[in-house]
Amino acid sequence: MENNNEKNNNRRLRPSNPDNKNPKQNYNMYWVYLVILALLAGMFFWGDNTNVKEVSWSEFQQYVSDNRIKAVNIYSNKDIAEGLVREESVSYIFKENAAQVGNKPYIQVNIPSTDAIEAFLSETKKEKGYDISWNYKPSSNFWTIFLTFVPILLLIVFWVWMVRRMQGGGAGSSGVFSVGKSKAQLFDKDTGQKVTFKDVAGLSEAKEEVQEIVEFLKHPNNYTNLGGKIPKGALLVGPPGTGKTLLAKAVAGEANVPFFSISGSDFVEMFVGVGASRVRDLFKTAKEKAPCIVFIDEIDAVGRARGKNANFGSNDERESTLNQLLTEMDGFGSNSGVIVLAATNRADILDKALLRAGRFDRQIYVELPDLNDRKEIFRVHLRPIKIDDSVDVEFLARQTPGFSGADIANVCNEAALIAARSKKKFVQKVDFMNAVDRIVGGLEKKNKIITQHEKRSIAIHEAGHATLSWFLEHANPLVKVTIVPRGKALGAAWYLPEERQITTKQQMLDEMCATLGGRAAEDVFIGQISSGAMNDLERVTKQAYAMISYMGMSEKLPNLSYYDSSGQDYTFSKPYSDNTAQLIDFEVKAMIAEQYERAKKLLLEHAEGHGKLSTILIEKEIIYADDLEHIFGKRPWISRSQEILENKAAEEDEVKSEAKEVATFIDTNKFGSAYSKSESDDLLKKDEQKEKKVKTEEGHEIKNVEEKEENKNDQNEPAKKDSTAD
């Protein structure tokens, strides 16, 4: 019941769309069905409940003679008469009970004429004295006509309404007749909120790439006058949440042109030919709005590489959609002024025909933000948040390596929610740290029941990770360690991953050794191992297999890589023999065993510090890098990010010092110059005279060279004069 109430509240609290000038009326279609049902029920219950039987003229005369007719209605203009049957004669005429026949049973007869039936009725009443009456009526009453034609009219109205609804003219989504229409949403200057490059933080390289598209849409003559052509399309490639869709919207906002947005899955339906029809309709509409931008999000849903086998694993509908898209982008037709932007995080599975020049002319890689980009993204998302002086943007950027733009937005929102739960007026640094922990590690479970023995085992495990990460050069620097359960983990250690461009074998081995530190600590200091290292073993095994089979970092299998960069994994066969597979397994086991023994050796060397660290961890439950520095001393190595920041600071100091020297030199020349203004003017005049003299001499020498070349009397002179002229 609570969930239903929440759903109803959400429905009532939906905000209105102020940007839509013609909003659709939301009404419940069940009211239409209820009205139709009520009309039919009224016709059934309150209608003229009559039963009519057609008889011949002779039968009618016989019934009147037998006094079985109570009254007669004569319709003069139609030569029809209706006789009301007496109650006691209903079963005789209709062969049924009176309850089955109805309240007013009639017989209907075609009369020869009104005079004939009137004469017959008068004669019968006079001879036999029956109580029979007759009267004249027009063709029929209104109620009879209404009951006759209203059901037909209702059916017609219902059919027209259903057709309009299927064509998209009614409320709700489009139906059968509009199934081939494009579902693209149009954003122009009159609809929606305008997004520009100012709203896109980071992505400096990607913005430079798409800036050319914006300039072409703004000033096409600058390119067409030189013979240049508009690029057909650009493919935005990158991990999820990096801002591909936002960048495409910013391009449309900067160019101030119509922007069609559609998802790749919107082209595919259960009906054959629908996808291709929607592609045609999309580009037809785009040509009418040209110049414009068509943005296809998640294009891998329709642009997946076509199979070689037409009968196995193929999808004709998807392939026909892809073929139509290829034709529209670069076929015989002209799409002048229509630029196609597409986004995907699976560029490796796209069809090669889609990626060739002339369709997607360029691929723009939108990668995960680095340190500087994360600082800009944090500044954008911190604008609406009330923060205090304790929040350091640079610190937050360093604490979130590998986070995408969407992840950073989630961190800022989560920090605001945490501060609101604590009734704070401002969001503080500790709220952001808790938000990062909440997103990375999961929800903190302080009430989870753990015995003292289990707590000690977890502390020794996590202290093993921390100790090895402190003494291994290339291990990721530690941020904090906790034994408070989070998510599915009973303990966790937070590190700052090094954002390396390339990684050496020794760096990977150090990371592997640090990861095995928890299992090694259990083995050395407890004497038995537990299931707590399952995740560590999984990571180590995958890393070892990648190093040996993909990166060629094995002594027995050097310089060999069995990695398939096309994204089509080896399903039915492997690119190596069974003997090679056994050798890979042997090398993986040997590498992991070597690093495990190395981890145990380092822990034995620093057993005292590890014991102190685990004791503090049991008492405080959370320790930070400062605690490790207090126990083990200062770390012999600095992190890569810290090194980059120090180099950057040194460069900034050097630039400042050079600028200071230049400013001092300018001030010195301004106030302590050796020459006065008049003397400097005289020097300038002398320099100008010298330049004129040199030019005159050069001209004179060139003239002499030309005269002597014409005479050609001396063969040695031309070489001399050529060298002089040079």
Side-chain angles (χ1 to χ4, degrees):
M1 291 297 294
E2 294 180 359
N3 294 332
N4 292 332
N5 293 332
E6 290 179 358
K7 292 180 181 179
N8 295 329
N9 292 331
N10 292 331
R11 290 174 183 172
R12 290 193 295 268
L13 295 174
R14 284 176 181 171
S16 59
N17 188 7
D19 298 327
N20 195 354
K21 297 180 179 180
N22 297 318
K24 294 183 178 180
Q25 298 293 331
N26 294 325
Y27 59 91
N28 199 340
M29 292 306 303
Y30 290 105
W31 286 106
V32 179
Y33 305 144
L34 184 61
V35 170
I36 296 174
L37 183 62
L39 291 174
L40 295 176
M43 292 165 50
F44 180 78
F45 291 105
W46 292 287
D48 191 6
N49 190 12
T50 61
N51 196 353
V52 181
K53 180 181 179 180
E54 293 184 0
V55 297
S56 62
W57 173 245
S58 59
E59 290 177 338
F60 177 78
Q61 290 178 328
Q62 184 63 40
Y63 291 152
V64 173
S65 300
D66 295 342
N67 197 19
R68 299 186 183 278
I69 304 300
K70 184 177 180 181
V72 178
N73 296 325
I74 303 171
Y75 301 98
S76 58
N77 57 347
K78 299 178 68 175
D79 293 333
I80 294 176
E82 292 180 349
L84 179 61
V85 182
R86 297 182 185 274
E87 295 179 359
E88 60 272 13
S89 302
V90 171
S91 60
Y92 177 80
I93 296 176
F94 291 92
K95 310 299 182 190
E96 295 177 357
N97 296 329
Q100 296 177 350
V101 175
N103 297 329
K104 298 180 180 179
Y106 280 91
I107 59 173
Q108 185 175 332
V109 59
N110 292 322
I111 59 178
S113 64
T114 56
D115 296 337
I117 189 173
E118 185 179 1
F120 172 73
L121 293 174
S122 299
E123 184 178 355
T124 304
K125 184 177 181 180
K126 185 177 179 182
E127 291 180 356
K128 298 185 177 183
Y130 292 156
D131 185 16
I132 186 172
S133 62
W134 64 89
N135 56 2
Y136 294 90
K137 288 186 176 182
S139 63
S140 183
N141 58 7
F142 174 77
W143 188 246
T144 304
I145 298 174
F146 180 80
L147 293 180
T148 304
F149 291 101
V150 161
I152 300 174
L153 291 175
L154 288 176
L155 290 175
I156 293 174
V157 171
F158 182 75
W159 181 79
V160 171
W161 174 79
M162 286 297 296
V163 170
R164 287 177 57 85
R165 180 175 173 84
M166 289 188 292
Q167 290 179 345
S173 59
S174 58
V176 177
F177 290 100
S178 63
V179 71
K181 300 294 183 181
S182 173
K183 295 183 178 181
Q185 297 180 356
L186 175 61
F187 300 92
D188 52 18
K189 60 182 180 181
D190 297 329
T191 60
Q193 188 176 2
K194 188 176 181 181
V195 180
T196 61
F197 285 151
K198 295 180 180 179
D199 302 320
V200 183
L203 307 179
S204 55
E205 293 82 4
K207 286 192 286 188
E208 290 179 2
E209 288 284 338
V210 299
Q211 185 68 33
E212 185 176 352
I213 299 175
V214 175
E215 291 296 329
F216 194 99
L217 292 173
K218 284 185 176 180
H219 312 288
N221 295 330
N222 296 341
Y223 296 85
T224 56
N225 293 336
L226 298 175
K229 296 182 179 179
I230 187 172
K232 295 292 184 64
L235 183 64
L236 304 176
V237 183
T242 51
K244 299 184 294 293
T245 305
L246 183 63
L247 186 61
K249 290 183 179 180
V251 171
E254 288 286 340
N256 198 19
V257 296
F259 180 76
F260 293 90
S261 177
I262 191 171
S263 176
S265 60
D266 290 337
F267 292 109
V268 183
E269 287 281 355
M270 62 178 292
F271 305 105
V272 178
V274 170
S277 177
R278 288 179 176 176
V279 172
R280 287 192 295 268
D281 184 72
L282 172 62
F283 279 87
K284 179 183 177 182
T285 309
K287 290 175 187 177
E288 296 174 355
K289 297 280 188 178
C292 64
I293 294 175
V294 175
F295 176 64
I296 305 175
D297 200 5
E298 305 298 339
I299 196 174
D300 54 278
V302 69
R304 189 181 294 268
R306 291 165 288 187
K308 296 180 181 179
N309 192 349
N311 298 321
F312 183 79
S314 64
N315 190 340
D316 294 335
E317 171 62 14
R318 181 178 57 78
E319 291 188 0
S320 64
T321 306
L322 175 59
N323 292 334
Q324 185 63 43
L325 180 62
L326 296 175
T327 304
E328 292 289 345
M329 290 189 67
D330 189 19
F332 282 101
S334 175
N335 290 329
S336 179
V338 180
I339 298 177
V340 182
L341 294 181
T344 181
N345 53 2
R346 298 290 307 279
D348 54 335
I349 65 173
L350 295 180
D351 196 274
K352 293 182 179 179
L354 194 63
L355 300 176
R356 73 152 174 92
R359 291 195 175 103
F360 286 110
D361 297 307
R362 59 191 65 183
Q363 294 186 22
I364 302 172
Y365 291 93
V366 185
E367 300 178 349
L368 291 172
D370 56 7
L371 182 62
N372 296 325
D373 290 341
R374 289 198 300 272
K375 288 167 61 176
E376 295 182 11
I377 296 172
F378 264 111
R379 290 191 180 98
V380 170
H381 292 293
L382 289 176
R383 290 174 187 170
I385 299 176
K386 297 180 180 180
I387 59 176
D388 61 0
D389 297 335
S390 64
V391 179
D392 186 10
V393 178
E394 184 174 333
F395 175 79
L396 295 178
R398 292 182 61 188
Q399 296 296 318
T400 53
F403 278 45
S404 64
D407 296 332
I408 293 174
N410 191 21
V411 168
C412 296
N413 184 60
E414 191 69 29
L417 296 178
I418 293 173
R421 292 192 203 106
S422 303
K423 308 297 182 181
K424 296 182 180 179
K425 295 183 179 180
F426 297 95
V427 185
Q428 299 175 341
K429 177 182 177 181
V430 64
D431 300 323
F432 283 96
M433 297 305 301
N434 293 332
V436 173
D437 297 344
R438 171 71 175 85
I439 293 172
V440 175
L443 183 64
E444 194 176 33
K445 300 178 181 178
K446 294 183 178 180
N447 297 325
K448 202 165 190 176
I449 300 174
I450 300 176
T451 63
Q452 194 65 26
H453 178 71
E454 292 174 344
K455 191 174 183 181
R456 180 175 175 272
S457 177
I458 297 170
I460 291 175
H461 182 102
E462 299 299 336
H465 288 301
T467 303
L468 292 185
S469 67
W470 193 262
F471 289 102
L472 291 172
E473 181 179 359
H474 302 292
N476 295 324
L478 182 72
V479 177
K480 75 173 185 179
V481 182
T482 178
I483 60 173
V484 178
R486 280 186 177 271
K488 296 182 179 180
L490 297 176
W494 276 263
Y495 304 91
L496 284 180
E498 301 287 357
E499 298 176 271
R500 306 185 184 100
Q501 301 300 322
I502 57 173
T503 307
T504 63
K505 181 180 179 180
Q506 188 59 43
Q507 291 171 348
M508 292 184 179
L509 293 177
D510 286 354
E511 292 177 359
M512 189 182 299
C513 183
T515 308
L516 291 171
R519 169 62 65 89
E522 294 178 3
D523 194 2
V524 171
F525 300 109
I526 301 177
Q528 59 182 2
I529 58 178
S530 66
S531 61
M534 185 175 64
N535 186 34
D536 299 333
L537 299 179
E538 180 185 358
R539 291 164 53 196
V540 166
T541 305
K542 289 182 178 179
Q543 187 175 2
Y545 269 105
M547 291 174 63
I548 293 172
S549 59
Y550 294 163
M551 305 175 190
M553 294 182 178
S554 173
E555 295 180 358
K556 296 184 178 180
L557 294 171
N559 305 325
L560 292 177
S561 178
Y562 303 106
Y563 178 70
D564 186 11
S565 60
S566 64
Q568 301 175 0
D569 297 332
Y570 306 106
T571 306
F572 300 105
S573 62
K574 299 292 183 182
Y576 44 81
S577 63
D578 293 338
N579 295 330
T580 304
Q582 291 180 358
L583 187 57
I584 291 174
D585 294 339
F586 176 78
E587 287 290 290
V588 168
K589 292 178 183 177
M591 180 178 290
I592 295 176
E594 181 182 358
Q595 297 306 316
Y596 185 70
E597 294 298 326
R598 181 187 176 194
K600 290 171 55 176
K601 183 180 178 182
L602 285 174
L603 287 173
L604 289 173
E605 292 178 0
H606 304 281
E608 183 179 356
H610 176 273
K612 293 180 181 178
L613 189 61
S614 57
T615 304
I616 297 173
L617 194 56
I618 293 173
E619 294 176 356
K620 295 183 178 180
E621 293 186 343
I622 298 176
I623 59 175
Y624 297 90
D626 297 336
D627 299 320
L628 271 74
E629 186 174 349
H630 180 71
I631 295 173
F632 297 114
K634 191 173 180 61
R635 194 167 184 258
W637 307 278
I638 61 174
S639 63
R640 181 177 176 272
S641 57
Q642 186 177 354
E643 183 181 355
I644 292 174
L645 291 174
E646 290 179 357
N647 293 335
K648 187 177 180 181
E651 291 177 358
E652 292 178 353
D653 293 338
E654 186 177 355
V655 170
K656 290 180 180 178
S657 62
E658 290 179 357
K660 189 176 180 180
E661 290 178 359
V662 171
T664 305
F665 178 76
I666 293 172
D667 293 340
T668 304
N669 289 338
K670 184 176 181 182
F671 298 104
S673 177
Y675 300 100
S676 62
K677 187 176 184 302
S678 60
E679 292 176 345
S680 60
D681 293 340
D682 293 339
L683 290 174
L684 291 173
K685 289 180 181 179
K686 289 180 180 179
D687 292 337
E688 292 176 356
Q689 291 176 0
K690 287 181 180 179
E691 290 178 359
K692 290 180 181 179
K693 186 178 180 182
V694 170
K695 291 179 181 179
T696 305
E697 292 177 352
E698 289 178 352
H700 182 68
E701 289 177 355
I702 293 171
K703 186 177 180 182
N704 292 335
V705 170
E706 293 176 351
E707 291 177 353
K708 291 184 180 181
E709 283 182 348
E710 292 176 357
N711 295 332
K712 293 183 181 181
N713 295 327
D714 192 355
Q715 297 297 326
N716 295 326
E717 283 296 320
K720 183 179 179 182
K721 290 164 185 174
D722 288 340
S723 63
T724 306
D726 292 336

